[in-house]
């Protein structure tokens, strides 16, 4: 485990160095939607979140709302039940309600072009929050975590924990993949980040995939639904593991899918080994599984800080500025963030992005990373509870 922590520290250091090297040096593209008038104080912010049924969006919503209100803004916060059509009409209502700026997490990244044209026509700047909105030039900025690194951390955790070595083909392990929602632009980044780390071991025969399902489309989970991940893993276990084949790793892109996979393994897996299961988000149920040894790791993204970046960015835009990498320094953030104008292209050009740094959380560093840091409190039942 020390090795894993050392790896995490080394990775964090590398990321800090990368952040220092790139944040200020890149040229700053022009924001595409300037606000109609500068709003010094008391403007109105429309926040469109995808669903309350995935834990993190409740936390994001309340962090954003509270932080905007603390700066004197009023906030209209809507959730769209993971329904892309409803989200379009929710955003139309926010525009009709004369918001000065929109913060949007798309249900379907491809379905907002028309409504965002209306926002652009009304000179309402749009921040694409966490998930990149595709096929529009109406978004000014993207705020997220380094999504490829999320998957990379998962893959590296598997390599490190199993002690995989390309020079040693004497042992092999069985792995199955569960990825996210194809309508979410992040899902491909997460999957590719993990797969790029693991595919050399698959090619060398050190990792085997008994189901044969290694393509994103084969392993994707619509809307990140726990039940869908559960059903698919039950089918895989019945079809490929019933005869006593051992499952060693279930690489899951996030916690909601990890939850379903863990349930399927709990009820339908015949083996006695403990399966290495990855996740992402630090959902409470998954942290409880970490404590109980049912899930091995989660990639944690401090969404409170993602909200801080968004609020400072929105504030600068509404004051008539055109923020770039300098915002990182001028805001005095105590966490790492990179200004990246290269990585995220939404088919309409590159979108200037503020990217925060994800970390690995396991049973061993959970207290330090999540509780001592103040993101969670430790419940009297021994399980962490999210703050906010
Ligand atoms: C992604 C997000 C993840 C996870 C997932 C499910 O877009 O980056 O943190 O929450 O959606 O909602």
């Amino acid at each position: 485990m020390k090795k894993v922590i050392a790896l995490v520290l080394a990775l964090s250091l590398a990321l800090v160095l990368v952040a220092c090297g790139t944040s200020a040096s890149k040229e700053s593209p022009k924001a595409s939607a300037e606000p109609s008038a500068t709003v010094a104080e008391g403007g109105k912010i429309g926040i469109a979140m995808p669903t309350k049924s995935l834990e993190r969006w409740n936390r994001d919503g309340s962090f954003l709302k509270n932080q905007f209100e603390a700066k004197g803004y009023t906030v209209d916060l809507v959730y769209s039940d993971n329904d892309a059509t409803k989200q379009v009409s929710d955003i139309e209502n926010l525009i009709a309600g004369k918001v000065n700026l929109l913060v949007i997490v798309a249900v379907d990244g491809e379905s907002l072009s028309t409504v965002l044209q209306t926002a652009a026509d009304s000179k309402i700047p749009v921040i694409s929050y966490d998930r990149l909105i595709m096929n529009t030039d109406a978004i000014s900025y993207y705020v997220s975590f380094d999504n490829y690194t999320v998957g990379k951390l998962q893959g590296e955790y598997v390599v490190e924990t199993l002690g995989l070595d390309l020079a040693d083909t004497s042992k092999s392990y069985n792995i199955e993949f569960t990825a996210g929602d194809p309508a979410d632009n992040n899902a491909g980044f997460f999957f590719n980040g993990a797969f790029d780390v693991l595919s050399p071991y698959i090619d060398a025969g050190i990792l085997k995939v008994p189901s044969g399902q290694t393509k994103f489309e084969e392993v994707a989970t619509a809307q990140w639904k726990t039940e869908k991940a559960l059903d698919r893993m039950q089918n895989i276990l019945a079809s490929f593991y019933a005869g006593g084949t051992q499952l060693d790793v279930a690489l899951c892109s996030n916690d909601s899918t990890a939850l379903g996979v863990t349930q399927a393994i709990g009820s339908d897996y015949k083996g006695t080994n403990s399966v290495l299961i990855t996740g992402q988000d630090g959902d409470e149920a998954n942290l409880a599984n970490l404590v109980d040894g049912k899930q091995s790791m989660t990639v944690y993204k401090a969404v409170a800080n993602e909200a801080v970046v968004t609020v400072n960015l929105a504030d600068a835009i509404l004051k008539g500025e055109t923020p770039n990498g300098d915002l990182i320094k001028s805001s005095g953030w105590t966490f790492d963030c990179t200004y990246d104008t290269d990585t995220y292209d939404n088919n309409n050009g590159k979108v200037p992005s503020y990217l925060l740094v994800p970390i690995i959380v396991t049973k061993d560093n959970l207290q330090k990373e999540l509780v001592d840091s103040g993101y969670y409190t430790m419940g009297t039942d021994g399980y962490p509870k999210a703050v906010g």
Side-chain angles (χ1 to χ4, degrees), residues 54 56-57 130-131 184 186 190 224 254 280-281 301:
L54 286 157
R56 72 158 287 186
W57 304 120
D130 202 86
R131 299 175 176 172
D184 175 352
N186 288 352
F190 300 147
W224 298 94
N254 88 329
Q280 169 192 190
D281 283 341
K301 309 196 292 196

Side-chain angles (χ1 to χ4, degrees), residues 5 26 30 83 176 197 233 260 274-275 286 314 340:
I5 294 170
K26 292 194 172 165
K30 231 184 121 15
D83 178 337
E176 296 296 340
V197 172
M233 188 49 67
S274 84
V275 182
N286 299 75
D340 180 329

Side-chain angles (χ1 to χ4, degrees), residues 11-329:
L11 275 169
S12 323
L13 184 62
L15 286 164
V16 172
L17 293 175
V18 168
C20 294
T22 56
S23 57
S25 59
K26 292 194 172 165
E27 66 178 275
S28 58
K30 231 184 121 15
S32 56
E34 308 291 346
S36 49
T38 55
V39 181
E41 248 169 66
K44 189 169 172 189
I45 309 291
I47 303 176
M49 286 281 145
T51 174
K52 287 193 166 174
S53 69
L54 286 157
E55 185 182 312
R56 72 158 287 186
W57 304 120
N58 296 278
R59 283 188 271 133
D60 289 89
S62 73
F63 282 129
L64 284 164
K65 185 171 188 302
N66 293 340
Q67 291 180 26
F68 271 118
E69 286 176 351
K71 273 199 176 298
Y73 291 98
T74 54
V75 171
D76 210 342
L77 168 62
V78 294
Y79 284 84
S80 303
D81 306 331
N82 255 339
D83 178 337
T85 311
K86 176 171 173 356
Q87 187 168 50
V88 170
S89 72
D90 286 341
I91 294 171
E92 280 166 356
N93 289 337
L94 292 172
I95 295 170
K98 302 221 174 315
V99 294
N100 298 101
L101 181 142
L102 282 162
V103 176
I104 300 174
V105 184
V107 171
D108 178 346
E110 311 257 346
S111 67
L112 296 177
S113 311
T114 309
V115 68
L116 291 192
Q117 190 52 50
T118 314
D121 294 344
S122 316
K123 297 212 176 316
I124 299 172
V126 178
I127 296 176
S128 184
Y129 184 88
D130 202 86
R131 299 175 176 172
L132 186 62
I133 302 170
M134 308 302 287
N135 308 330
T136 173
D137 57 11
I139 55 173
S140 309
Y141 292 94
Y142 178 45
V143 177
S144 194
F145 281 78
D146 181 335
N147 294 302
Y148 184 83
T149 295
V150 169
K152 199 164 162 260
L153 290 175
Q154 295 168 338
E156 286 169 347
Y157 179 87
V158 171
V159 170
E160 188 71 20
T161 307
L162 297 181
L164 303 186
D165 177 357
L166 284 172
D168 176 8
T169 51
S170 64
K171 273 186 248 135
S172 71
Y173 300 89
N174 290 329
I175 183 169
E176 296 296 340
F177 292 89
T178 301
D181 185 353
D184 175 352
N185 186 62
N186 288 352
F189 278 89
F190 300 147
F191 177 73
N192 290 337
F195 200 76
D196 288 351
V197 172
L198 298 175
S199 65
Y201 300 93
I202 296 176
D203 295 344
I206 297 170
L207 287 176
K208 297 189 191 302
V209 188
S211 72
Q213 298 174 18
T214 55
K215 294 202 178 59
F216 174 75
E217 314 80 67
E218 294 171 320
V219 303
T221 312
Q223 300 193 325
W224 298 94
K225 285 213 164 126
T226 298
E227 310 75 54
K228 289 199 189 293
L230 169 73
D231 281 358
R232 179 171 162 270
M233 188 49 67
Q234 282 180 325
N235 286 333
I236 286 177
L237 290 173
S239 308
F240 304 99
Y241 292 84
T245 304
Q246 177 162 315
L247 175 63
D248 298 294
V249 182
L251 192 297
C252 302
S253 285
N254 88 329
D255 280 351
S256 61
T257 55
L259 206 58
V261 166
T262 304
Q263 282 166 19
I265 290 170
S267 60
D268 291 34
Y269 179 52
K270 305 279 179 275
T272 51
N273 63 306
S274 84
V275 182
L276 188 166
I277 301 174
T278 67
Q280 169 192 190
D281 283 341
D283 287 353
E284 288 180 359
N286 299 75
L287 293 178
N289 280 349
L290 243 61
V291 171
D292 291 344
K294 293 184 191 159
Q295 182 174 323
S296 316
M297 63 90 86
T298 189
V299 176
Y300 181 66
K301 309 196 292 196
V303 296
N305 297 340
E306 195 174 6
V308 168
V309 173
T310 306
V311 171
N312 286 159
L313 174 63
D315 204 39
I317 296 170
L318 291 173
K319 285 181 172 138
E321 297 164 17
T322 306
N324 56 22
D326 296 342
L327 185 74
I328 295 173
K329 271 206 199 109

Side-chain angles (χ1 to χ4, degrees), residues 347-362:
N347 300 334
N348 241 280
K350 295 194 168 159
V351 182
S353 308
Y354 291 89
L355 302 175
L356 294 98
V357 181
I359 57 164
I360 289 179
V361 169
T362 65

